[in-house]
Amino acid sequence: MRFFGKDFLGIYLIGFAAIASLGCEKKQTAEERKADSLAHCIADGIPSRAAAIQNASYVAQGKGDTKGMIWINGGKFLMGADEFPDSRPMHEIAVNGFYIDEHEVTNAEYAEFVKATNYKTVAERPLNPADYPGVPADKLVPGSAVFTPTPTRVSLDNPLQWWNYVAGASWAHPEGPTSSTKGRENFPVTQVSYEDAAAYAKWAGKRLPTEAEWEFAAQGGKGNHTYYWGDELKPGNKWVANIYQGSFPDKNTKEDGYLTAAPIKSFPPNPFGLYDMDGNVWEWCEDLYRPDYYQKSPKDNPKGPSNSYDPDEPGTVKKVQRGGSFLCSDDYCIRYKAGSRGKGEVTSGSNNLGFRCVRDKK
């Protein structure tokens, strides 16, 4: 996933619509687009919140426990995927054992954190007018990115057609101020930036997973396959993950039963007992993102590069995201496939982005 910066947000808030050229910058062949570019473009057009005023609240390190977590023994495995340029080469690495949440962090769990700490997520924080010259002050309102289906089929070249910056959208109001998490307590929390996810993990006495830990857990001890559940998209002619079916972005047929995110544990767990390691919502990892990292990754417990670099947006700090979301399909965002990688600017969120935590053995 990739995100535009504050310049885009300023333009968006003023009301300009002619931003299509800021989508996927390079014209590519159909094969290249399906293999990589379209996957990267799933979140093009989401404004960065890097200019949000910094949060003043302090989150103390919690003691936590391993309730609701699964112990993963660790070991060696083949990481990566030849299908994606930034997931090459496939390479064998080893990870130590760790505990991991059996499901994504839920709205109810995040609400406990907010109640205990009075934490304000990035999407809820005011914007600094000095960072948006020329934008009327009344337009600089907190908010976040929301996927909105188009009324008809459209070209996939301009993701700004289906991503909207919605004032008032936040973890508690995932689609905007008229929406709520009431009745969705067991849904994965969304609209959380990396900063927001890391703050929760600290409070819970946990941390975010490394990319290697996440993939090892997602494989479930089955080794490297096309999908984390195997090599068939629909084993037994059944959907086993919450992804997109139909015509993107105008008509989701909901063959898997869900239009957007699904409640936790709606689909079968993997052999380790973990839910939704594929689809539903993207999940933040601890690693900084570089497309060339696998070429020099350590063989034991890799923790990502020392700095971030994305050739699409040089100078923007990004972290790895994994697993894909309810917007992924073989027609558009194919990075729900095993071994693939997502990426996101660290202060940005959307209504298809969440996380889960891990914990070391004490």
Side-chain angles (χ1 to χ4, degrees):
M1 301 175 74
R2 55 178 286 258
F3 301 82
F4 285 126
K6 64 185 179 69
D7 290 340
F8 166 77
L9 179 53
I11 295 171
Y12 192 99
L13 291 172
I14 291 174
F16 287 95
I19 316 176
S21 62
L22 295 179
C24 295
E25 294 88 347
K26 298 182 294 184
K27 296 297 181 181
Q28 297 176 304
T29 66
E31 183 178 359
E32 286 172 331
R33 285 168 61 82
K34 184 167 184 179
D36 191 62
S37 178
L38 289 178
H40 276 182
C41 287
I42 185 64
D44 275 9
I46 297 179
S48 164
R49 289 299 308 273
I53 296 173
Q54 288 299 301
N55 189 29
S57 63
Y58 173 75
V59 176
Q61 179 70 47
K63 293 183 179 180
D65 56 42
T66 58
K67 181 181 179 181
M69 303 187 84
I70 302 291
W71 171 253
I72 307 296
N73 276 323
K76 293 182 178 180
F77 74 110
L78 193 61
M79 184 175 182
D82 286 334
E83 187 172 359
F84 305 95
D86 64 350
S87 297
R88 302 172 190 157
M90 295 179 68
H91 54 294
E92 185 179 80
I93 65 167
V95 294
N96 294 337
F98 57 96
Y99 289 96
I100 185 169
D101 291 342
E102 65 175 342
H103 56 73
E104 299 137 331
V105 173
T106 65
N107 287 318
E109 291 169 329
Y110 207 81
E112 290 181 19
F113 160 63
V114 171
K115 183 179 180 180
T117 62
N118 293 315
Y119 180 85
K120 292 290 185 182
T121 60
V122 173
E124 298 171 285
R125 301 175 202 168
L127 295 163
N128 190 342
D131 291 316
Y132 301 95
V135 180
D138 63 344
K139 300 294 184 183
L140 291 174
V141 293
S144 196
V146 176
F147 170 78
T148 305
T150 57
T152 60
R153 192 161 191 170
V154 296
S155 167
L156 300 182
D157 291 333
N158 179 17
L160 302 187
Q161 296 171 104
W162 53 86
W163 282 113
N164 288 299
Y165 183 84
V166 177
S170 69
W171 77 270
H173 306 282
E175 293 82 43
T178 61
S179 67
S180 164
T181 57
K182 186 176 182 179
R184 294 195 281 178
E185 290 81 3
N186 287 330
F187 283 63
V189 67
T190 59
Q191 298 292 11
V192 285
S193 69
Y194 166 80
E195 181 181 336
D196 303 329
Y200 173 93
K202 182 180 180 181
W203 171 80
K206 303 175 184 181
R207 60 179 172 83
L208 296 180
T210 66
E211 184 180 8
E213 289 171 334
W214 195 97
E215 185 169 335
F216 184 80
Q219 287 189 9
K222 297 171 62 175
N224 199 284
H225 291 274
T226 304
Y227 310 99
Y228 286 117
W229 60 78
D231 292 315
E232 289 184 75
L233 178 61
K234 293 175 64 179
N237 205 34
K238 294 182 179 179
W239 291 104
V240 294
N242 180 18
I243 57 175
Y244 195 101
Q245 299 90 38
S247 171
F248 186 91
D250 59 306
K251 186 176 182 180
N252 187 339
T253 60
K254 298 195 300 183
E255 288 181 26
D256 60 15
Y258 299 96
L259 186 64
T260 57
I264 58 169
K265 300 185 177 182
S266 295
F267 294 87
N270 76 0
F272 286 161
L274 304 175
Y275 294 86
D276 292 316
M277 297 301 283
D278 237 318
N280 215 24
V281 296
W282 285 96
E283 299 182 17
W284 285 108
C285 290
E286 184 59 39
D287 306 42
L288 289 165
Y289 174 82
R290 286 190 67 97
D292 58 355
Y293 180 63
Y294 285 9
Q295 298 170 24
K296 48 195 173 187
S297 172
K299 292 184 178 180
D300 295 321
N301 298 301
K303 293 178 170 60
S306 59
N307 62 349
S308 167
Y309 176 70
D310 180 3
D312 291 327
E313 290 183 295
T316 301
V317 179
K318 297 188 178 183
K319 293 273 187 174
V320 173
Q321 299 164 349
R322 283 304 202 106
S325 78
F326 60 81
L327 295 180
C328 288
S329 73
D330 283 352
D331 290 331
Y332 189 60
C333 171
I334 60 177
R335 289 202 174 222
Y336 68 101
K337 288 187 174 182
S340 62
R341 311 169 75 199
K343 54 183 177 178
E345 190 275 318
V346 293
T347 61
S348 298
S350 60
N351 66 323
N352 68 333
L353 175 59
F355 69 103
R356 76 180 71 212
C357 300
V358 299
R359 181 180 169 94
D360 297 316
K361 193 170 188 178
K362 301 299 183 180

